[in-house]
Amino acid sequence: MLEVEGLTKRYGSLVALDDVGFVVEPGHIVGLLGPNGAGKTTTMRAIMGLVALDRGDVAWRGGAVDGRVRRRFGYMPAERGMYQRMGVRDHLVYYGRLSGFDEAAAVRSTDLWLERLGLADRADDPVQTLSSGNQQRVQLALALLNEPELLVLDEPFSGLDPVAVDVLSAILREQVGDGAALLLSSHQLDLVADVCSRVVIVDHGQVVLRGDVTDLRAASPIRYLEVEFARSTPWDPPVEVRTDDDDRRYRATLAAGSDARDLLAHAHAHGEVTGYSFAPPDLSEVFLGVVGRSTVEDPVDVGNVEDVEDVEDVEMAATEGTPT
C-alpha cells in the first residue's frame, strides 16, 4: 500500500503542497484530480523522489521509499523526456536495463509491450517520427516494463484516440487485477469515473475531497430526473426544468430523497416518453462543486509569482541552472 502523509512543499510564497495525504491500496485505481496548478504533478514527483519536500512522508508497504523500492514503481510523467533520435525498441531496452533487468529480460519485456500497445511495426523507428499518441504509448510501455507494484501515471490518456483509450483502460484494469496499485491524474473525468474506484481531489495544494466515486456522487444533495420524449413535446411540470432546443430532452433538479414517480407520470401524460434516468450528479459536477474558488478556505496568496500557469513552471524556475 502507498501511504502519502503530510506532503508540504513551498516555492517562495507559492504553496505547492499543503499537508497532502492519502493512500492507494493494491488492486485499486485512485484518480488524483484538480485544476491546473492544484499540486497533482508535484505530488506525483514527490512520490517518485523527484521533489525535495519541506515536510511529509511517502511509504510503500509500511516502509520508507528509497531508490531500491522505487525500482518496483512505474512512472509516466506528463512531459515526454525520451531520447527523440533513439529507436523505440532500443529506447525501451535501455530503460529496462536501467530498471535492473539483464539484457534478455529487458528484450522480452520490450517485445511484450510493443506488441500489447500496437507499436511492434514501429519498433525500429526513431521516437521523434511517431505521432503524439504513439509517443504516449511508448511512455506507457516505459512505465510498465519492470512489472511494477505501483504505477504513477500523470495524464496517461492525453493524446490518445478512442481505440487507444480502450486498450489502455483494459491494460490498467489488468494491472490492478494482478495486484498492482495505481495512481493516475487526468482532466478527462468521464474516463476517471469509468476506471477509478476512488478519487482524491486537490485544490491550492490541499486535499478538498476524497472517497469512493459512487459514494461521493451519492452524497450530493441533489438528483437529476432526465426525460426524453419521442418527438418535440411542450412540457410544463410543477417544477423548474431545463430543455434542449428541440423540446425533446428535459432535466429537472430534485432534492436527494425525492420521489420522482409523480413527475415521471406527469411526463407520460404529456407525450410518448422513450427514456428517462434518475441519478445523482456525475463526477465532473462533483469535481466542479468542490474546486470552485469560493469553496476553498484561505486561498493561497501567490505573492510575487507572476504568470504561473502551473506549479511545474515554478519548479523549473527554481531548479534552473542546478546540476542534475
Side-chain angles (χ1 to χ4, degrees):
M1 178 170 66
L2 174 71
E3 297 174 274
V4 174
E5 182 177 359
L7 300 192
T8 302
K9 178 64 178 178
R10 287 178 177 268
Y11 294 96
S13 61
L14 176 66
V15 180
L17 300 178
D18 185 6
D19 198 31
V20 169
F22 56 86
V23 300
V24 184
E25 298 177 346
H28 289 271
I29 304 177
V30 175
L32 183 61
L33 311 179
N36 289 335
K40 304 183 299 298
T41 293
T42 305
T43 299
M44 290 183 161
R45 287 177 173 173
I47 292 169
M48 297 305 300
L50 301 175
V51 170
L53 292 166
D54 298 327
R55 184 173 60 83
D57 295 297
V58 178
W60 175 249
R61 299 191 185 278
V65 177
D66 56 18
R68 178 184 57 82
V69 173
R70 285 194 182 92
R71 284 195 173 191
R72 305 203 300 269
F73 295 175
Y75 177 48
M76 180 179 178
E79 312 85 7
R80 297 191 178 104
M82 298 179 288
Y83 296 106
Q84 292 293 314
R85 296 182 181 180
M86 186 179 285
V88 172
R89 193 168 187 268
D90 290 342
H91 201 295
L92 293 173
V93 171
Y94 173 69
Y95 272 90
R97 296 299 306 276
L98 290 180
S99 297
F101 285 165
D102 60 28
E103 182 76 20
V107 169
R108 283 196 302 271
S109 186
T110 291
D111 289 344
L112 167 67
W113 288 110
L114 286 175
E115 187 66 34
R116 289 290 309 275
L117 293 169
L119 293 167
D121 61 341
R122 305 297 302 272
D124 296 325
D125 295 350
V127 171
Q128 65 185 0
T129 66
L130 302 183
S131 66
S132 175
N134 278 337
Q135 288 195 32
Q136 191 77 344
R137 297 186 196 206
V138 176
Q139 288 271 105
L140 178 62
L142 290 171
L144 293 166
L145 274 177
N146 61 336
E147 302 175 358
E149 297 176 3
L150 170 69
L151 276 164
V152 179
L153 308 180
D154 198 350
E155 294 289 343
F157 299 106
S158 177
L160 298 183
D161 61 44
V163 173
V165 166
D166 286 345
V167 171
L168 173 55
S169 298
I171 289 173
L172 298 184
R173 291 189 180 98
E174 177 186 286
Q175 292 293 305
V176 298
D178 290 339
L182 171 54
L183 177 69
L184 68 83
S185 72
S186 178
H187 290 295
Q188 296 165 271
L189 298 187
D190 55 337
L191 291 174
V192 171
D194 185 47
V195 303
C196 293
S197 55
R198 296 175 61 82
V199 294
V200 177
I201 301 177
V202 293
D203 194 17
H204 291 302
Q206 297 178 320
V207 174
V208 295
L209 191 68
R210 60 187 158 205
D212 180 88
V213 173
T214 301
D215 291 344
L216 293 178
R217 294 182 61 214
S220 171
I222 64 173
R223 296 293 183 269
Y224 292 128
L225 174 65
E226 297 186 347
V227 176
E228 181 172 353
F229 292 95
R231 59 193 60 84
S232 180
T233 303
W235 184 38
D236 187 21
V239 299
E240 184 177 350
V241 293
R242 294 171 54 189
T243 182
D244 59 11
D245 292 338
D246 63 3
D247 289 340
R248 287 188 58 233
R249 288 173 287 273
Y250 292 82
R251 171 188 275 192
T253 302
L254 306 177
S258 299
D259 189 338
R261 287 177 293 184
D262 288 346
L263 195 58
L264 188 58
H266 188 277
H268 278 286
H270 282 73
E272 181 184 353
V273 175
T274 57
Y276 68 90
S277 65
F278 186 60
D282 59 24
L283 180 61
S284 63
E285 290 175 288
V286 173
F287 172 84
L288 291 173
V290 297
V291 301
R293 295 312 185 208
S294 62
T295 70
V296 180
E297 295 182 1
D298 301 322
V300 174
D301 178 7
V302 298
N304 294 324
V305 180
E306 299 178 353
D307 299 325
V308 177
E309 183 173 273
D310 208 341
V311 170
E312 289 68 54
D313 297 335
V314 182
E315 288 182 357
M316 288 187 287
T319 58
E320 187 174 345
T322 303
T324 56

